[in-house]
Amino acid sequence: MSIRVLNPNAEVLNKSAALHMTINAAKGLQDVLKSNLGPKGTIKMLVGGAGDIKLTKDGNTLLKEMQIQNPTAIMIARTAVAQDDSSGDGTTSTVLFIGELMKQSERCIDEGTHPRFLVDGFEIAKRATLEFLEKFKTPVVIGDTPDKEILKMVARTTLRTKLYEVLADQLTDIIVNAVLCIRKPEEAIDLFMVEIMHMRHKFDVDTRLVEGLVLDHGSRHPDMKRRAENCYILTCNVSLEYDKSEINAGFFYSNAEQREKMVAAERRQVDQRVMKIIELKEKVCSGTDKNFVVINQKGIDPPSLDLLARAGIIALRRAKRRNMERLVLACGGEAVNSVDDLTEDCLGWAGLVYEHVLGEEKYTFVEQVKNPLSCTILIKGPNDHTIAQIKDAVRDGLRSVKNTIEDEAVVLGAGAFEVAARKHLLDNVKRTAKGRAQLGVEAFADALLVIPKTLAENSGLDTQDVIVSLQNEHDQGTVAGLNHHTGDPIDPQMEGIFDNYSVKRQIINSGPVIASQLLLVDEVIRAGRNMRKPA
Amino acid sequence: MGFAPVNIHYHLPIDLRVGGSKFFFFFFPLFALSIFFHSSALRPFLSSPPFSDYSFFESSGIHRHTPRLSICRLRAPIIKGRANELNKMREIVTIQVGDFANFIGSHFWNFQDELLGLAEDDGADPIFKNNFMDMDVLYRTGLTHQGAYTYCPRLISIGSQGSLGTLSSSGSLYGDSSSSDATDTLTWKGAVTKLAENPREKNLFLKSLSEEGEDDPNIEDKDRVQCLERDIKFWSDFSKVHFHSKSLYELNGAWTDFQNFDNFGDGKEVLLGGLHMEELNDRLRFFVEECDHVQGIQCTVDDSGGFSAVASEFLENIADDYTNIPVLLYSVRDTFSYTDATKQRKLITRSLHDAVSLSKLSTYSSLIVPVGLPSLGGLAPSLCVRDEKNFHSSAVYASAIHSISAPFRFKPAGPISNTTYAAGSLDIGEIIHILAGQNRQNMVAILDVSMPAPSLSDKANPGGILNSFHALGTEIGDDSEDLYMDESLILNGALFSGADWASVSQVKDSICNVYDKGLRVKPRPSHLSISLTPLPIPLPFPSIFPTTTGRRGEILADQPLEGPPKGSLEVESVPVMTRLRSSIAIKPFIECRYNNLLRHGMLRGAKGAGLLRDWGFGKDEVDDMGEHLSKMLRIFNPSSEMTSDSD
């Protein structure tokens, strides 16, 4: 009541109303994302007011596109998106899990249980489930040559929930090969070393892995070759343009001649830098059929381009900062910041460099490199929204492979883990909880089933039949998942359906935390919205 | 190559009167034409012209009432022999961040579009004909997949999600084959749900640009102008320009409330955990890579809210990637951002935001120009602006920014065109050097505008036309005694008397006269740029001219003072005069921000310290910002300047 004294305009919701508001918001969000889950989910096409299209089956993207206003829903959405940021997947599952926890809690609360007991039960169940996950997970031996098959299975499981089968299977190999390409022993995997490039193409939906790099720009001189074989690659960050601002800084001229001299001197410096590159080219290439390519992070102005073109050098300017690193990883050599003391050791190597032009967009392919530690996934699609969706899927796929390598473990998918964990909670954990906290453990266990239930629902199967037959299998001691075509239990191991361990772990970790916070809300105050801009 | 006279800075001491210890320089660096200021004599001299190695095909633009087709204009890409680096084109990349910045930008590009159209229109006044302005400085030529040529602004515009109105974020020229037919989904064979917003309806003006409303004889331009006055929601509602598919970027922060996107912290939050910067850097690279020699970046930022954080992050990236490219930054605000804050918390938030914003933006730019008044009523009687309409205020600011940008794109051609149509070419680096690089290293400049500028021969105004300026910023002090002031004057299409345009020499004479006769304080370092082309008034320009305004922006004597304001149908062009000055008058502006940061954010027990922490600033960073602001202040204090000199 005190708030009313402080602010008579404040809107106050009392205990039960507050609780129902939060529960409804959680359920609402769950309803929106429910149809996304699994390989039989629905893809969503969002069309904006000006006709812009977005296509997504990713819970993460969908959440970000939604205009969520309810504060509870925003809280859940933030958790789910944070999940995606840290582990690359599991947004939809997180939202479903939180929604289901709230739903189960609502039943208990309506029957008179205090939220506190549920929260205590959640905590016990969470810890037990995480312990169970440690036992349940399937360890993967990574070593120097990881088992490609298991990586492919993980990637395929993720991709098939985002793209249709043929496309997903095509991407699976590409993604696993890409991650293995950039992987260095004893170092964390930096997925940024996989460049994702796209091209708009009339009808084609096609993706390929380029061992090497694809740059989104080309040479800027008409006399430079469009295709060259056996190329030395010079990766540099050296300004090859005449920079007037350097002259401007503080110098003044008493007459035009003096100025002319200064300008000429400055120009000469730039020319000298260019000449040093040309010297190196002559040294390493003359008398052979080898070619020379300069890829510069800074600018190259027309006079410099002209000099380089005359010397038969292909030059690209304003390369992406990150490509400096990628180029060296792909082609070898080193990225130089100065053209003094250039030697052959600075140079990288590529068997083929060629340019591809599409309208005003130019692409330069640097291929046939030795021992690439960087590569490019090139996506072709007929329009921007298709490309964007494939790109999202590729990113998720890459993350799943990376997670597997780092976790050195996977978890059986298709709902198998959830059914097994529920059984464990009910059989072994529930009785260890004191008093009414048992209700919390039970609610938690039932909430886990939301994953297989939703998978079944999206496949058009009878939810109860499916759950019962899955539970029967587990009661008999076999680990079984859901076959989304028939509804019969299957062995996920045999079918190659694996989820990421770290994703599962995080869902179990964050879900109950948010649900507990929401359950303990006993008053909602809405006061003083911003007065500045009346809508 | 011969004598290359572009941008020569002649320094001639001309006034040794004060105390004998100070020298005052008055110089006009003009290409191909330099003015010696000696006693009171004015001696122009000409020099041999440099010729460009580039050749240009005929360009075709569009005019205000014609529907927009894809515009075709080619620049010869082949460089024969070695280009003369002094004469080659120097590109500008424009960046607009925030919704009000885009309002201004929308007007700005409308002016450019109008100029392109008028240059092609046989019926237009010959003053718009001549090609001394090189529009390629701001525009780029492109090619679609279908093989059609395009001519679009070299622009990156960042706005909040949904701020584009009826405009598609990928522009209209590079249309892809996307269809919103759900069955066309190529990536999913399962079920597809289509969620569509109601299509936004185009207003009468926008309809007339596309084919839809073209044939309707019942709709006149009058209706279109009225519909714009009635209802403007988005900046795209009055834009007639085609944008490149990489130009428009919508910031879709997850569940950010863009209605209340009013502080630096909000902006930082939006950028977290997304690939926004990655994408923006890529887009900028696209535009910069194709430039042969960028002269600078012109950036307009709505700094009243979270967008200043977005901009400062972007500018920080730019400073890293393109070390030598100067950035000219306009930090703009609409009138709403000055609404009095009633609550103390709000007040503290706002004052801290202002301080942080100034500190951050000035760190990553070369010259910063605050633009934005709480009310534009002060511009009366020459303009009647409705404060509550961003459509109105942004038009005034855009006119000033357009005027300043004119000398950046004077074509270095023969001397004849220079003397006839324009004089005083500058590039962004030079204007920054004039204002921020000389006497004082003050990098916050004041923008003054006079619009419509009075005619040069106006006898009623003995102080000369230089007294008609209005500052477009707030918290501006007095600088009449400031000995270290630097300024740059730009006149666009000045009128000599009545509706007659003045020639370049007439303009020069009048300005020199003002200084000569001591009507205006004293000569000081100054630069003058003259363009004979006035500001063209495109159809979607607001009706903000008083009834006494004539077709060319002259003052009509025989008109009644009362009446509805005139707009684009009655006024074709107006003379605009702008001045950028770097002087002690900006001291209160910086001082206020510095003191606020000190009081609310840095002192022990300061009420806003927690707020700054929430925005993600550690104590060290706050101290750095304070130090940065105090350094900006110290330059106005001669005694500390001495000590810093000795360091």
Side-chain angles (χ1 to χ4, degrees), chain A residues 35 38-50 52-55 57 62-68 74 77-78 81 85 160-164 167 192 200 202-203 205 216-218 220-222 241-246 248-250 252-257 259-260 263 267 271 297-298 300-307 310 317-322 358-361 382-386 389-390 395 528-533 535, chain B residues 1-4 6-11 54 77-79 81-83 85-86 88 90 140-145 150 161 165-170 174-182 185-200 244 246 250 252-255 257 259-260 262 269 273 275 278 282 285-286 288-294 317 320-325 334 336-337 339 343 346 350 427 429-430 433 438:
Chain A
S35 61
K40 288 278 176 172
T42 317
I43 199 166
K44 277 159 180 115
M45 176 182 263
L46 311 171
V47 185
D52 285 346
I53 301 172
K54 220 163 226 167
L55 205 56
K57 206 180 149 287
L62 191 63
L63 274 183
K64 284 183 176 171
E65 287 298 319
M66 281 178 3
Q67 310 266 322
I68 306 176
I74 290 183
R78 275 188 202 282
V81 169
D85 287 344
R160 281 200 181 172
T161 67
K162 323 266 172 192
L163 302 168
Y164 83 97
L167 210 55
F192 277 121
R200 230 166 64 188
K202 269 181 200 135
F203 312 105
V205 179
D216 57 358
H217 51 129
R220 286 277 167 199
H221 195 284
E241 62 182 341
Y242 156 73
D243 218 326
K244 198 160 60 165
S245 59
E246 284 169 29
N248 249 346
F252 284 97
Y253 320 99
S254 52
N255 59 45
E257 233 168 281
R259 180 194 153 85
E260 182 88 333
V263 170
R267 181 71 248 176
D271 287 352
Q297 193 186 337
K298 293 236 165 64
I300 309 178
D301 63 6
S304 300
L305 282 172
D306 214 48
L307 283 175
R310 280 189 211 172
R317 64 187 178 198
R318 303 272 181 214
K320 250 185 234 184
R321 201 189 320 180
R322 211 167 253 141
L358 266 178
E360 64 182 26
E361 286 145 33
N383 46 45
D384 291 341
H385 62 262
T386 305
Q389 202 225 332
I390 298 176
R395 287 210 182 93
R529 295 280 296 165
N530 194 303
M531 308 291 179
R532 202 184 99 206
K533 280 181 188 162
Chain B
M1 185 153 68
F3 178 50
V6 180
N7 305 318
I8 303 166
H9 291 202
Y10 283 96
H11 271 208
Y54 293 102
I78 295 167
I79 304 143
R82 301 207 51 185
E85 60 270 4
L86 293 172
K88 68 170 170 267
R90 305 214 52 201
R140 68 181 285 281
T141 306
L143 187 67
T144 66
H145 284 196
T150 60
Q161 192 172 23
T166 57
L167 202 60
S168 160
S169 63
S170 55
Y174 291 77
D176 57 14
S177 53
S178 51
S179 76
S180 56
D181 185 353
T185 309
L186 294 158
T187 47
W188 194 249
K189 296 291 176 221
V192 183
T193 320
K194 186 167 151 184
L195 306 165
E197 267 178 66
N198 287 334
R200 295 195 192 102
H244 188 264
K246 287 195 192 332
E250 282 180 286
N252 58 341
W255 328 292
D257 181 3
Q259 292 294 316
N260 297 309
D262 60 358
E269 210 175 291
L275 293 167
E278 197 93 353
D282 263 8
R285 244 192 73 248
F286 171 81
V288 176
E289 193 270 334
E290 64 187 11
C291 297
D292 280 339
H293 204 154
V294 182
N317 275 303
D320 281 353
D321 281 353
Y322 314 100
T323 11
N324 283 327
I325 300 181
D334 59 16
F336 298 103
S337 66
T339 318
K343 292 189 185 119
K346 188 97 206 160
R350 198 181 289 178
D427 68 26
E430 284 163 338
H433 180 70
Q438 299 196 59

Side-chain angles (χ1 to χ4, degrees), chain A residues 94-336:
Chain A
T94 309
V95 171
L96 293 190
F97 187 40
I98 295 172
E100 195 65 18
L101 280 171
M102 298 299 283
K103 223 189 240 175
Q104 298 293 341
S105 309
E106 186 183 28
R107 219 188 51 217
C108 300
I109 290 164
D110 285 348
E111 286 165 8
T113 316
H114 191 275
R116 189 80 245 175
F117 295 113
L118 292 174
V119 170
D120 291 345
F122 283 180
E123 182 58 32
I124 296 166
K126 183 182 102 181
R127 251 184 285 131
T129 312
L130 288 173
E131 278 165 25
F132 180 71
L133 179 63
E134 290 303 319
K135 275 185 278 171
F136 189 81
K137 73 180 180 186
T138 313
V140 177
V141 183
I142 297 299
D144 286 342
T145 45
D147 181 3
K148 247 189 177 177
E149 284 313 307
I150 195 118
L151 296 180
K152 276 190 194 167
M153 286 188 250
V154 179
R156 191 182 302 127
T157 308
T158 306
L159 287 169
R160 281 200 181 172
T161 67
K162 323 266 172 192
L163 302 168
Y164 83 97
E165 280 185 23
V166 179
L167 210 55
D169 293 353
Q170 187 200 1
L171 271 174
T172 305
D173 284 329
I174 292 174
I175 280 169
V176 172
N177 288 337
V179 177
L180 291 180
C181 166
I182 60 159
R183 176 171 169 264
K184 290 190 245 180
E186 312 293 317
E187 268 180 59
I189 296 171
D190 182 3
L191 287 182
F192 277 121
M193 290 307 114
V194 180
E195 167 79 310
I196 305 175
M197 191 50 80
H198 69 264
M199 274 186 192
R200 230 166 64 188
H201 214 272
K202 269 181 200 135
F203 312 105
D204 242 9
V205 179
D206 182 33
T207 305
R208 78 177 177 104
L209 180 70
V210 178
E211 295 204 331
L213 270 189
V214 182
L215 310 168
D216 57 358
H217 51 129
S219 66
R220 286 277 167 199
H221 195 284
D223 296 345
M224 285 179 183
K225 284 188 200 164
R226 301 286 168 245
R227 183 190 168 89
E229 283 169 19
N230 297 330
C231 305
Y232 282 109
I233 311 279
L234 174 64
T235 312
C236 57
N237 183 16
V238 178
S239 171
L240 296 179
E241 62 182 341
Y242 156 73
D243 218 326
K244 198 160 60 165
S245 59
E246 284 169 29
I247 285 203
N248 249 346
F251 287 109
F252 284 97
Y253 320 99
S254 52
N255 59 45
E257 233 168 281
Q258 203 179 337
R259 180 194 153 85
E260 182 88 333
K261 267 189 199 154
M262 293 291 289
V263 170
E266 175 70 17
R267 181 71 248 176
R268 212 159 38 236
Q269 278 190 5
V270 177
D271 287 352
Q272 273 166 3
R273 274 176 241 153
V274 177
M275 289 319 289
K276 280 197 177 138
I277 294 173
I278 294 176
E279 265 168 43
L280 181 68
K281 190 254 170 185
E282 296 301 333
K283 207 172 109 193
V284 297
C285 295
S286 72
T288 67
D289 62 345
K290 291 171 181 166
N291 283 294
F292 200 91
V293 181
V294 176
I295 299 174
N296 192 6
Q297 193 186 337
K298 293 236 165 64
I300 309 178
D301 63 6
S304 300
L305 282 172
D306 214 48
L307 283 175
L308 292 168
R310 280 189 211 172
I313 295 175
I314 300 174
L316 277 77
R317 64 187 178 198
R318 303 272 181 214
K320 250 185 234 184
R321 201 189 320 180
R322 211 167 253 141
N323 275 350
M324 295 285 103
E325 212 179 321
R326 289 178 183 144
L327 272 167
V328 171
L329 286 171
C331 311
E334 56 181 291
V336 295

Side-chain angles (χ1 to χ4, degrees), chain B residues 263-268 271 277 305-314 353:
Chain B
N263 65 63
F264 209 85
D266 287 350
K268 282 184 86 172
L271 297 176
M277 274 304 142
F307 279 107
S308 64
V310 177
S312 72
E313 179 108 6
F314 194 20
H353 167 81

Side-chain angles (χ1 to χ4, degrees), chain B residues 14 66 107 148 162 197 260 264 361 383 387 413 457 470 484 514 583 616 627 642:
Chain B
I14 58 143
T66 51
H107 281 300
E197 267 178 66
N260 297 309
F264 209 85
L361 289 175
L383 290 176
D387 284 336
S457 60
H470 294 283
Y484 297 100
V514 176
S583 81
E627 174 56 26
M642 298 305 275

